[in-house]
Structures are given as structure tokens and as C-alpha cells.
């Protein structure tokens, strides 16, 4: 069996379009199509549903073959990493999916890792928690940084890293200036901009509003970018809810001179566990194993909790 044919088949299953799949593999469409036909011939089963002129999906046999093909390709990649590590040190490319709410934390993980392994290329990709789970399952991601205890994860190895807390980001000069804390019920009365509902952060925030007695906060603007949230708050019209880790990229607790202030949200005061997730494989591929070790060796929780100390 030709490994390259498996790679083309996995690309087609991922892209669901022959032209895009061929482009992602740097081959012509006829080359990719012929490779998939040869794979079907070797396995003696149909892999592609060919009822229409366009890609319709995989057959039941194709779905089963896809799972094995992804495993085989992941093992091939891990073998290459092992041999590379023996020759010249760890090298290769590691794809790291990160939820937008955890982006400010990534340098605390990636900087020590890349210092230890300078030949590695790290690709940080912004994904929802659902996309991270899917990427670990299908092999398009080697690692993820996501919530651990709000929505169940499957078939993954977990390393808790820190607890995320929540701040009201609101224009300076508003009704809460000088306050040491704001309740979720009070915050719900403000015109809010929040992340879109496909983000787990949004689902957590809505639950906390509900638990605080504010079942229907006024959300006038939604975005999948935390940067867009901060930009809209700085315009002076909107307020938002952000993880406390964003104080790091805002230069600490914003003061009035920045145009907005950050105030801890209370009643209920909540914290969600965020951590590293890896596919539950044994043994772990060398790059994933090295990232796990680097994250274990650095105490993120202690450093991130110190960001909140001036607020008490």
C-alpha cells in the first residue's frame, strides 16, 4: 500500500473537494483521483460516494479506512520525528490549536519550548474548543490549549495549567469607576459585545450571567475575535467580559487614561480550568511529548495568578 495514496485520500476527506485536496497535496486533480481509485482497487472496497458529479462524501467503508489512514500517517510522522531527533535533535512542525480566550498565555508555553528545541517550527492556530477536539481526532493538530472541565473532552491526555477568571472591561467614566468588583447582574444592564456562541467562552459567560440572576443580558454585538472586543470597548460605547489573562496584553489593569477599566466580576465568582490537551496515543510523538514536558516544567498557574494580586 502506497503511503502517498493514503495521504491523498485523507486530504480529500478533509477538503471534501477534489481540486482543493489536490492543491493541498501539491499534485494535479487527475493524479489525486487516480491515486484514490488505486487505493480502492487495493482494498477492494468503494471509498468515495460517486452518486453525483461532485464529492458526496465517504462510503461506510471509506469512513472506516479514514480512521486507519489517519493513524498510519500520524505514526509515519512520529517515526520521522524520532529519527530526526536521533540525528540532529528534535525538529519538524507542530500544529498547536488554541482557543481565542487563551491566546495571551501561549508565549508562556511556546517560548520555553522553542528555546529548548530551536529546530522546531510551531504553528499556532486559533480554533474553537470543538475544532481542537476534531483536530486531535483526525491528526490535523498535535496539541491544543483549551477548557478542560466545562464541556467533556474525549480520547485526550490532559495537563491542567491555570484557572481562568473573568473581568468586566468597560469604558472609563462609566457607572462602575472606582469599584473593586461588579456583579454579573449589574454587568448585564450594560450594552455588551461578546464572543460568538460557537466559542466555549461565550457559553461559559452566558451560564455565569444566568447563575448571577441575569438570564438575558443585552448583547448587541458578537465577534469571534477578542481583539475586536477590546477595540469596541475602547470606542467608548460598549462593555465586554474578558478572561483575566488579557490583562497581560493590556499592560496590566487598564486605568482611565487607556479609555477603559477592568473590574473583577463577582456573584458568582468563577474560575475555569484551561490546559494542554494531546491525543491519547502511546507512545506520544516526540514533538507532542516535548511540548508536554516543557509545559509541566513551567508553573503557569503561579505566574498568571500573580496578575490578579493588585486587584485585591
Amino acid at each position: 500500500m502506497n503511503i502517498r495514496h493514503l495521504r491523498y485520500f485523507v486530504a480529500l476527506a478533509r477538503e471534501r473537494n477534489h481540486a482543493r485536496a489536490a492543491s493541498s497535496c501539491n499534485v494535479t486533480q487527475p493524479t489525486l483521483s487516480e491515486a484514490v481509485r488505486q487505493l480502492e482497487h487495493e482494498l477492494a472496497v468503494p471509498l468515495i460516494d460517486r452518486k453525483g458529479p461532485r464529492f458526496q462524501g465517504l462510503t461506510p467503508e471509506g469512513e472506516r479506512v479514514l480512521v486507519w489512514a489517519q493513524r498510519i500517517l500520524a505514526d509515519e510522522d512520529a517515526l520521522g520525528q524520532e529519527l530526526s531527533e536521533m540525528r540532529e535533535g528534535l525538529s519538524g512542525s507542530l500544529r498547536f490549536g488554541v482557543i481565542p480566550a487563551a491566546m495571551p498565555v501561549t508565549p508562556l508555553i511556546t517560548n520555553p519550548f522553542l528555546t529548548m528545541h530551536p529546530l522546531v517550527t510551531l504553528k499556532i492556530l486559533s480554533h474553537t474548543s470543538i475544532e481542537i477536539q476534531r483536530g486531535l481526532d483526525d491528526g490535523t493538530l498535535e496539541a491544543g490549549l483549551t477548557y478542560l472541565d466545562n464541556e467533556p473532552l474525549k480520547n485526550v491526555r490532559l495537563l491542567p495549567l491555570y484557572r481562568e477568571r473573568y473581568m468586566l472591561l468597560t469604558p472609563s467614566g462609566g457607572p462602575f469607576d472606582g469599584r473593586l468588583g461588579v456583579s454579573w447582574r449589574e454587568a448585564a444592564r450594560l450594552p455588551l459585545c461578546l464572543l460568538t456562541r460557537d466559542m466555549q467562552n461565550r457559553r461559559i459567560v452566558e451560564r455565569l450571567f444566568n447563575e448571577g440572576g441575569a438570564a438575558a443580558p443585552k448583547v448587541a454585538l458578537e465577534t469571534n475575535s477578542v481583539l475586536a472586543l477590546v477595540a469596541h470597548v475602547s470606542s467608548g460605547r460598549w462593555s465586554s467580559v474578558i478572561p483575566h489573562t488579557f490583562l497581560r496584553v493590556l499592560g496590566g489593569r487598564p486605568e482611565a487614561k487607556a479609555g477603559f477599566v477592568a473590574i473583577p466580576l463577582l456573584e458568582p465568582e468563577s474560575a475555569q480550568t484551561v490546559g494542554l490537551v494531546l491525543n491519547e496515543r502511546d507512545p506520544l510523538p516526540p514533538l507532542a511529548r516535548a511540548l508536554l514536558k516543557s509545559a509541566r516544567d513551567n508553573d503557569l498557574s503561579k505566574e498568571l495568578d500573580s496578575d490578579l494580586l493588585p486587584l485585591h
Side-chain angles (χ1 to χ4, degrees):
M1 185 181 298
N2 192 319
I3 292 288
R4 185 170 61 254
H5 293 176
L6 291 177
R7 198 174 300 280
Y8 295 167
F9 171 64
V10 169
L12 180 57
R14 181 182 66 247
E15 299 293 341
R16 302 185 64 81
N17 177 278
H18 283 78
R20 289 199 301 269
S23 177
S24 71
C25 295
N26 296 312
V27 297
T28 65
Q29 185 172 330
T31 297
L32 181 135
S33 298
E34 179 58 27
V36 173
R37 290 193 189 94
Q38 289 182 30
L39 185 60
E40 290 177 313
H41 178 73
E42 291 175 9
L43 297 174
V45 292
L47 303 178
I48 308 299
D49 184 347
R50 295 186 173 85
K51 293 176 183 177
R54 297 182 178 180
F55 181 84
Q56 300 295 312
L58 303 181
T59 64
E61 297 90 342
E63 294 285 357
R64 183 62 60 86
V65 171
L66 176 63
V67 173
W68 283 97
Q70 289 168 338
R71 291 179 186 174
I72 292 168
L73 294 176
D75 285 341
E76 182 207 24
D77 187 49
L79 173 60
Q81 294 174 24
E82 290 275 10
L83 296 176
S84 174
E85 186 176 19
M86 293 175 66
R87 290 193 307 266
E88 57 188 10
L90 199 59
S91 64
S93 178
L94 188 146
R95 294 158 296 187
F96 189 23
V98 180
I99 55 172
M103 277 296 179
V105 176
T106 53
L108 299 179
I109 302 170
T110 59
N111 287 349
F113 173 74
L114 291 174
T115 298
M116 288 292 297
H117 307 287
L119 299 179
V120 174
T121 299
L122 192 59
K123 296 182 179 179
I124 300 175
L125 305 167
S126 178
H127 283 316
T128 66
S129 56
I130 293 173
E131 290 170 339
I132 289 173
Q133 174 76 75
R134 186 184 304 127
L136 293 173
D137 288 341
D138 65 22
T140 55
L141 294 175
E142 283 77 40
L145 185 63
T146 186
Y147 295 109
L148 301 187
D149 53 10
N150 188 59
E151 296 175 3
L153 293 155
K154 299 178 181 179
N155 305 316
V156 296
R157 190 175 304 197
L158 308 175
L159 176 65
L161 294 176
Y162 67 94
R163 300 276 283 169
E164 177 182 274
R165 296 167 179 83
Y166 303 97
M167 314 287 293
L168 174 69
L169 196 67
T170 189
S172 57
F176 303 126
D177 263 8
R179 292 272 295 270
L180 297 179
V182 176
S183 73
W184 289 87
R185 181 192 289 269
E186 290 174 314
R189 303 189 190 113
L190 298 171
L192 294 171
C193 53
L194 297 176
L195 292 175
T196 51
R197 285 187 168 86
D198 61 328
M199 301 284 182
Q200 191 172 168
N201 174 270
R202 171 66 179 275
R203 298 191 289 275
I204 292 170
V205 166
E206 287 193 335
R207 173 173 58 79
L208 292 171
F209 271 122
N210 188 274
E211 291 176 5
K218 183 181 178 182
V219 182
L221 188 150
E222 298 180 337
T223 175
N224 62 0
S225 165
V226 181
L227 178 60
L229 294 183
V230 175
H232 279 82
V233 173
S234 66
S235 74
R237 181 175 178 183
W238 310 97
S239 296
S240 188
V241 176
I242 61 168
H244 80 282
T245 51
F246 272 80
L247 296 177
R248 302 182 69 82
V249 294
L250 293 174
R253 188 179 182 182
E255 303 297 339
K257 63 183 179 182
F260 46 80
V261 293
I263 310 170
L265 279 160
L266 312 172
E267 302 175 25
E269 186 172 2
S270 180
Q272 303 292 319
T273 304
V274 178
L276 190 68
V277 291
L278 308 164
N279 189 288
E280 183 75 295
R281 298 180 60 200
D282 192 18
L284 281 173
L287 288 175
R289 186 173 65 236
L291 183 66
L292 179 62
K293 181 182 184 303
S294 177
R296 277 178 175 156
D297 291 345
N298 294 278
D299 189 354
L300 270 70
S301 182
K302 182 178 180 180
E303 181 162 355
L304 292 171
D305 285 347
S306 69
D307 292 342
L308 288 171
L309 293 177
L311 303 178
H312 296 299

